[in-house]
């Protein structure tokens, strides 16, 4: 267990293990490794760090380097600021959890390189936005109280896993651009209350069982494109094309 202190990694490789809290970590040397569960008030990554444990940041997160979230890596931000797209979150299995109670209109693209996530969970009372086209290769979870607003900049969102909206109809504001389900294994759409509304919905799932609407209705206001795969509905969990929508 580490006490609350400030650490500067400026030469050679180090491994962080155990459980504890650090006031500030400045990474200015390559090949740093975290295999433990550690919380930082401020984390500044100016070279490379590999995270296969759990890192939590409660203050400022920034840097000019890269933190690679390994398959078992969990990164949790519940901080006050973020800059410079530090995380490589493209490795299958890794998880990013963003808890936003402090920043207005927080761009989810500010955390990751190439606007790419695997599993992404959004929580907190302040709004999230999409500043660029997003590629979420795993699951997207919008927790109760959280809002992902795609309307201001109308970006593309590709999702390869399950869509879980625990905040109901107000949890996702769709804008006018396409949401594409492009997984290679079965996917699901879950909305806790009300309807999930997409302007343009694209189904491009190559698995035998496609995309299943597990709770709530999915409404399409502009166009439905069935590139590949099947959409499974039920008597109560419907896929609805609204007036004027095309397929």
């Amino acid at each position: 267990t580490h006490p609350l202190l400030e650490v500067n990694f400026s030469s050679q490789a180090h491994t962080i293990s155990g459980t504890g809290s650090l006031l500030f970590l400045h990474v200015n040397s390559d090949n740093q490794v975290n295999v433990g569960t550690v919380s930082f008030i401020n984390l500044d990554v100016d070279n490379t760090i590999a995270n296969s444990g759990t890192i939590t940041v409660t203050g400022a997160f920034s840097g000019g380097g890269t933190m690679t979230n390994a398959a078992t890596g969990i990164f949790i931000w519940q901080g006050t600021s973020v800059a410079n797209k530090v995380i490589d979150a493209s490795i299958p299995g890794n998880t990013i959890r963003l808890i936003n109670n402090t920043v207005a209109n927080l761009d989810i693209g500010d955390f990751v390189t190439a606007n790419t996530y695997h599993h992404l969970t959004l929580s907190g009372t302040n709004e999230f936005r999409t500043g660029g086209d997003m590629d979420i290769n795993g699951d997207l979870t919008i927790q109760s109280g959280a809002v992902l607003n795609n309307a201001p900049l109308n970006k593309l969102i590709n999702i390869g896993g399950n869509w879980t909206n625990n905040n109901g109809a107000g949890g996702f504001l769709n804008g006018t651009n396409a949401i594409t389900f492009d997984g290679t294994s079965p996917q699901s759409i879950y909305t806790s209350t009300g309807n999930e509304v997409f302007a343009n919905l694209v189904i491009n799932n190559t698995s035998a069982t496609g995309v299943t609407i597990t709770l709530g209705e999915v409404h399409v206001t502009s166009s439905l494109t069935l590139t590949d795969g099947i959409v499974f509905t039920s008597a109560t969990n419907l896929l609805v094309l609204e007036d004027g929508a095309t397929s």
Side-chain angles (χ1 to χ4, degrees):
T1 300
H2 305 286
L4 188 66
L5 46 75
E6 180 173 332
V7 177
N8 181 24
F9 286 171
S10 58
S11 63
Q12 66 186 12
H14 301 79
T15 298
I16 306 169
S17 61
T19 301
S21 298
L22 296 171
L23 175 66
F24 177 83
L25 177 64
H26 176 78
V27 178
N28 196 27
S29 178
D30 282 343
N31 304 318
Q32 311 306 320
V33 178
N34 174 60
V35 294
T37 299
V38 63
S39 174
F40 305 105
I41 294 178
N42 299 315
L43 176 58
D44 180 40
V45 180
D46 280 333
N47 255 291
T48 62
I49 181 170
N51 175 38
S52 58
T54 299
I55 291 177
T56 300
V57 176
T58 61
F61 178 53
S62 62
T66 301
M67 184 183 80
T68 299
N69 225 29
T72 58
I74 299 172
F75 176 83
I76 303 168
W77 180 91
Q78 49 189 25
T80 56
S81 64
V82 59
N84 298 340
K85 299 178 179 288
V86 171
I87 306 172
D88 178 353
S90 63
I91 294 176
N94 85 91
T95 299
I96 307 293
R97 299 173 185 163
L98 306 180
I99 304 168
N100 183 23
N101 293 312
T102 54
V103 180
N105 306 325
L106 181 64
D107 181 0
I108 61 175
D110 285 347
F111 291 86
V112 293
T113 60
N115 286 346
T116 299
Y117 286 92
H118 193 73
H119 298 313
L120 172 63
T121 299
L122 305 178
S123 305
T125 57
N126 283 28
E127 188 173 280
F128 296 92
R129 291 192 176 181
T130 50
D133 296 338
M134 303 305 303
D135 192 7
I136 302 168
N137 293 316
D139 300 335
L140 171 64
T141 303
I142 302 170
Q143 298 288 37
S144 178
V147 176
L148 176 58
N149 188 354
N150 193 43
L153 295 175
N154 292 311
K155 297 301 180 178
L156 299 168
I157 300 177
N158 285 25
I159 178 166
N162 298 324
W163 177 288
T164 302
N165 181 355
N166 291 316
N167 198 30
F172 177 69
L173 307 178
N174 64 297
T176 59
N177 224 323
I179 310 300
T180 299
F181 287 78
D182 61 357
T184 57
S185 58
Q187 293 180 264
S188 64
I189 302 174
Y190 172 100
T191 309
S192 60
T193 58
N195 304 325
E196 194 70 85
V197 179
F198 300 121
N200 298 289
L201 175 61
V202 179
I203 303 297
N204 189 20
N205 181 289
T206 57
S207 74
T209 51
V211 179
T212 300
I213 302 173
T214 56
L215 185 65
E217 294 184 358
V218 172
H219 285 228
V220 177
T221 61
S222 183
S223 70
L224 171 66
T225 303
L226 300 172
T227 304
D228 196 355
I230 303 167
V231 180
F232 289 90
T233 63
S234 69
T236 55
N237 305 321
L238 302 174
L239 176 62
V240 178
L241 271 66
E242 296 191 354
D243 288 346
T246 60
S247 175

